[in-house]
Amino acid sequence: MKIKLLLAALAISAAPSLAIAQCSAGKAHETTAMSCVEGLTWDAATQACVPVTSS
């Protein structure tokens, strides 16, 4: 009986940690919007801020 109680307590205490880890697993591959200072714009190809050119 004590082993069942111990395993149940372990499962209950580990569940939130596993849930958080599962939810944040894919976030490493997501891209976020980049903001640049005035006069520059984000270039996705070079992954950098580049000067705005007007034609």
Side-chain angles (χ1 to χ4, degrees):
M1 184 73 168
K2 286 186 178 182
I3 296 210
K4 286 183 183 179
L5 183 62
L6 178 64
L7 290 176
L10 181 62
I12 290 172
S13 65
S17 298
L18 295 174
I20 290 171
Q22 182 67 26
C23 289
S24 62
K27 297 216 185 258
H29 300 290
E30 290 181 9
T31 57
T32 57
M34 183 66 181
S35 60
C36 301
V37 295
E38 189 175 335
L40 298 176
T41 186
W42 180 251
D43 182 18
T46 61
Q47 298 289 306
C49 291
V50 295
V52 176
T53 55
S54 58
S55 4

